[in-house]
Amino acid sequence: MNLAHKLIKGHLASGNMAPGEEIAIRVDQTLTQDATGTLSYLQFEATGVDRVRTQLSVSYIDHNMLQADFRNADDHAYLQDIAAKYGIYFSRPGNGICHQVHLERFAVPGTTLVGSDSHTPTCGGIGALAIGAGGLDVAIAMAGSPYYMRMPKVMGVELTGRLRPGVTAKDIILEVLRRLTVKGGVGYILEYFGPGVAGLDVPARSTITNMGAELGATTSLFPSDERTREYLQRQGREPAYRPLAPDRGAEYDAKMTIDLDTLEPLIACPDSPDAVKRVSEVAGTPVDQVAVGSCTNSSYVDLMEVVAILKGHAVHPRVSTTLSPGSRQVLQMIARNGALADLVASGARILESACGPCAGIGQVPAHGAVSLRSFNRNFPGRSGDPNNHVYLASPAVCAASAITGVITDPRPYAEAVKVSLPERFLVDDSGIIPPAKDPASVEVRRGPNIKPIPTREPLPGRIEGEVLIKLGDNISTDHILPAGAQTLALRSNVPAISEFVFRYLDKDFVQRAKAKGGGVIVAGANYGQGSSREHAAISPMFLGVSAIVAKSFARIHRDNLVNYGVLPLAFADESDYGRVEMAHVLRIEGLTRLVESSAELVPVTDATAGLTFQAKLELTERQRRILLAGGLLRYVGQTSIAPKVSF
Ligand code: MIC
Ligand code: SF4
């Protein structure tokens, strides 16, 4: 057996482990962050369960940290009270980015972790089966439900050789993205194995599993070995170690090999994480902003590498250079060892331990600017504005380019740089507040911006509506509902945030949807890639969108659509995509009967074009029942997990 199969088998609650079949796995740990957390906990409260039923649940504040008005702070207070009341650990604002802190302080090899953030697979770097999901799926997992998914295939990624100076883990995942593209991982777990694995420490492995999210993969996984033990021991958590490996000669559904000896520094060009080139191909491009940090590359080792390159240099006058440490642990360590002083001396700007510029929460680049980031996503508008050009590369490329002012191959700078794990990480868990001892006494503060979540009625028998927008391939959730400080302050207020749907693609969309009383969205392949934000499903639903007809869907987004009662339909014959145009009226009759009877094909009539085409309804039996009920919360209200749900 490969390692992914072993971990799934050890947690299997129901189902048959054949690729594509619905399985359910027991959830040991959950994590949430503040941008998805408020909805998730509102839903958790609706289940009526009085205490989380997981081994460990942690609520992080790391996204909405600007506090430009009262709303973010209100969300923080709500999340802190909920955590105290329901048995959840609370990681305070300033304590760090959820994935980085979870890796440092909580992740355990061989456990399952489900998180309301698409980069939850970060902890796959320590050998946990870590999966990103919508907030509602996390809410019911906290209430004791297993996590349901289709059994993925497993792709073995064999690493051979050793990285050369100036070439890093970021280049490994960029190489995987170059080969597979942003939809190449859909339906797969990527399992890394082979002799090259031993040369990578846990933070490097986690960079790779983190950015596996950009492949659309269910998750990515490394074995748990001596390097894992070493990391845990230096975090003062050695008892959490257990060795985990695939069986000798384990089989994989697909395989690829990457020779680390021959890898070069790579860079993802605007506007997609898979637009990968060699750094040498774009070297010399002038850069206006360099930003190091994010859950992909903000570990102690990453930052020390940056310091080693920057030390003794000044950042170029045209470049605004920022650095966000991934955690308070990292920040304290670089403060104590003097590296922070070197950074400040170089002219770099030090930001909080938080997501920051990664999701456009501050540091929005200038109009037309080139921004080089050690982050994981560069979809249009992701930086907080669509009028700039974002490149993604390793911290080493970022540091070298900050010095020269142009995209620069870091190898000449990195030759002498050798950073390894510290003998001991600085352990100070005072930023993590344990749950209250007397939960009954906790009064939950709810700010006026925290609004109830709209729900849908049970599935209607008939859908008729205009095509409100026709989109191409790889539409990300950043396209559907943009990132940025303005929208992030509205995460707890669905009516308000819904005003931003498709803002950068079609500024009239919201008006049109309202005027038409809702309708249908038509899209190409991999619709909804990227973030796990449920808002990208709830807000269109709130505007009356009843179905999405696409060539294919990204995993988390499809689940979110079903969870909120929006019908995800896939063109049975992709050439029909070319026939359905904007403003055509689409009609589906006998819908409840089709969904109930497990029909796999649904006839869709395009009344304007005068044709009928077939659309695939690729849903499990459970998802059909969820759709019929009008969404997951109504559905669980009918089951034993959540007897008290009422809407
Ligand atoms: C992201 O990186 O896109 C986010 C912001 O962390 C999201 C979650 C969100 O939208 O709140 C994610 O990755 O799931
Ligand atoms: Fe935060 Fe960026 Fe990571 Fe999302 S990808 S969790 S916004 S650091």
Side-chain angles (χ1 to χ4, degrees), residues 33 35-36 63 116-119 359 377 382 491 531-533:
Q33 40 87 344
T36 53
H63 282 62
S116 67
D117 189 281
S118 62
H119 290 104
R377 290 190 171 142
R382 165 88 181 172
R491 285 297 186 91
S531 149
S532 66
R533 71 189 67 135

Side-chain angles (χ1 to χ4, degrees), residues 174 182 211 266-278 281-282 285-289 365 368-373 376-383 385-393 407 479 529:
L174 287 173
V182 289
M211 215 173 159
L266 298 173
I267 188 163
C269 299
D271 284 318
S272 179
D274 63 0
V276 175
K277 292 191 175 160
R278 285 196 291 276
E281 290 175 76
V282 289
T285 307
V287 174
D288 304 285
Q289 182 188 56
V370 168
S371 176
L372 173 63
R373 301 171 160 216
N376 46 34
R377 290 190 171 142
N378 59 347
F379 304 127
R382 165 88 181 172
S383 62
D385 189 88
N387 300 301
N388 50 62
H389 313 283
V390 177
Y391 292 80
L392 308 171
I407 293 176
H479 292 97
Q529 69 161 327

Side-chain angles (χ1 to χ4, degrees), residues 407-595:
I407 293 176
T408 300
D409 189 324
R411 283 175 288 187
Y413 292 85
E415 219 83 287
V417 173
K418 175 83 192 92
V419 180
S420 31
L421 291 187
E423 276 307 311
R424 201 82 195 158
F425 287 95
L426 185 151
V427 175
D428 165 7
D429 287 335
S430 59
I432 299 166
I433 303 178
K437 294 216 169 60
D438 51 345
S441 69
V442 180
E443 283 294 324
V444 178
R445 288 164 287 172
R446 292 168 209 271
N449 189 49
I450 302 176
K451 301 279 190 241
I453 306 170
T455 51
R456 206 181 185 85
E457 293 301 309
L459 192 74
R462 178 177 195 273
I463 283 181
E464 178 170 307
E466 264 188 38
V467 176
L468 296 169
I469 190 167
K470 184 173 176 185
L471 302 153
D473 291 345
N474 295 325
I475 292 297
S476 71
T477 47
D478 282 324
H479 292 97
I480 304 171
L481 196 62
Q486 213 186 348
T487 47
L488 275 154
L490 301 172
R491 285 297 186 91
S492 310
N493 184 340
V494 173
I497 202 171
S498 299
E499 294 295 316
F500 290 82
V501 173
F502 293 123
R503 174 63 60 98
Y504 298 141
L505 284 181
D506 178 348
K507 63 176 179 18
D508 302 324
F509 176 85
V510 173
Q511 268 321 99
R512 191 159 58 245
K514 285 182 181 169
K516 307 274 181 203
V520 173
I521 291 171
V522 171
N526 200 25
Y527 180 74
Q529 69 161 327
S531 149
S532 66
R533 71 189 67 135
E534 292 170 285
H535 306 74
I538 307 173
S539 290
M541 179 272 269
F542 179 74
L543 296 171
V545 171
S546 51
I548 317 277
V549 194
K551 288 185 185 166
S552 63
F553 293 86
R555 178 184 66 89
I556 303 178
H557 189 61
R558 181 216 293 271
D559 289 351
N560 285 340
L561 289 170
V562 172
N563 287 351
Y564 287 96
V566 181
L567 198 62
L569 291 170
F571 287 102
D573 175 351
E574 288 193 3
S575 68
D576 288 323
Y577 168 84
R579 287 190 264 275
V580 183
E581 294 303 336
M582 172 106 172
H584 283 194
V585 174
L586 302 189
R587 188 182 307 133
I588 304 170
E589 309 268 8
L591 186 57
T592 27
R593 188 178 37 78
L594 286 164
V595 175

Side-chain angles (χ1 to χ4, degrees), residues 136-401:
L136 184 44
D137 282 317
V138 177
I140 68 160
M142 289 188 287
S145 165
Y147 177 68
Y148 291 83
M149 62 177 174
R150 282 186 191 271
M151 177 68 198
K153 294 187 196 156
V154 184
M155 186 182 302
V157 185
E158 182 182 26
L159 302 179
T160 63
R162 223 185 158 77
L163 291 170
R164 287 179 307 172
V167 188
T168 69
K170 182 73 149 212
D171 303 303
I172 301 177
I173 186 62
L174 287 173
E175 172 64 10
V176 180
L177 272 155
R178 189 186 70 78
R179 294 195 200 175
L180 293 181
T181 80
V182 289
K183 49 181 198 289
V186 176
Y188 280 97
I189 293 178
L190 271 75
E191 179 172 318
Y192 290 82
F193 71 102
V197 166
L200 302 173
D201 57 28
V202 167
R205 295 175 184 184
S206 293
T207 293
I208 296 169
T209 56
N210 171 289
M211 215 173 159
E214 276 50 73
L215 300 159
T218 303
T219 189
S220 303
L221 183 62
F222 272 84
S224 170
D225 57 10
E226 266 311 296
R227 304 304 303 265
T228 321
R229 196 192 56 74
E230 160 192 78
Y231 179 79
L232 284 166
Q233 184 251 326
R234 292 172 194 210
Q235 287 284 359
R237 299 206 288 129
E238 194 168 2
Y241 174 66
R242 83 182 237 234
L244 293 166
D247 291 336
R248 199 180 294 267
E251 293 196 356
Y252 295 97
D253 300 294
K255 242 183 185 175
M256 72 160 97
T257 301
I258 298 178
D259 177 6
L260 304 184
D261 284 315
T262 58
L263 209 58
E264 285 190 35
L266 298 173
I267 188 163
C269 299
D271 284 318
S272 179
D274 63 0
V276 175
K277 292 191 175 160
R278 285 196 291 276
V279 168
S280 55
E281 290 175 76
V282 289
T285 307
V287 174
D288 304 285
Q289 182 188 56
V290 167
V292 177
S294 95
C295 55
T296 329
N297 279 111
S298 59
S299 67
Y300 172 81
V301 178
D302 286 327
L303 265 51
M304 290 305 291
E305 249 164 38
V306 170
V307 179
I309 294 174
L310 283 184
K311 193 170 175 178
H313 295 275
V315 303
H316 191 276
R318 77 174 272 141
V319 186
S320 167
T321 302
T322 66
L323 202 133
S324 330
S327 67
R328 193 161 151 272
Q329 176 182 78
V330 174
L331 180 55
Q332 288 198 75
M333 287 177 71
I334 62 170
R336 289 185 186 214
N337 72 10
L340 184 59
D342 294 330
L343 279 170
V344 175
S346 75
R349 301 163 63 181
I350 312 302
L351 307 180
E352 264 193 292
S353 288
C355 299
C358 176
I361 310 159
Q363 306 301 324
V364 179
H367 205 90
V370 168
S371 176
L372 173 63
R373 301 171 160 216
S374 72
F375 306 167
N376 46 34
R377 290 190 171 142
N378 59 347
F379 304 127
R382 165 88 181 172
S383 62
D385 189 88
N387 300 301
N388 50 62
H389 313 283
V390 177
Y391 292 80
L392 308 171
S394 68
V397 175
C398 290
S401 309

Side-chain angles (χ1 to χ4, degrees), residues 79-160:
L79 291 168
Q80 181 161 1
D81 295 346
I82 289 284
K85 198 171 179 67
Y86 292 103
I88 299 155
Y89 284 80
F90 178 71
S91 175
R92 306 184 68 177
N95 196 51
I97 306 174
C98 55
H99 309 302
Q100 175 66 26
V101 178
H102 208 81
L103 183 74
E104 291 169 355
R105 307 305 309 145
F106 293 116
V108 174
T111 58
T112 53
L113 165 68
V114 177
S116 67
D117 189 281
S118 62
H119 290 104
T120 303
T122 311
C123 291
I126 210 166
L129 189 71
I131 300 178
L136 184 44
D137 282 317
V138 177
I140 68 160
M142 289 188 287
S145 165
Y147 177 68
Y148 291 83
M149 62 177 174
R150 282 186 191 271
M151 177 68 198
K153 294 187 196 156
V154 184
M155 186 182 302
V157 185
E158 182 182 26
L159 302 179
T160 63

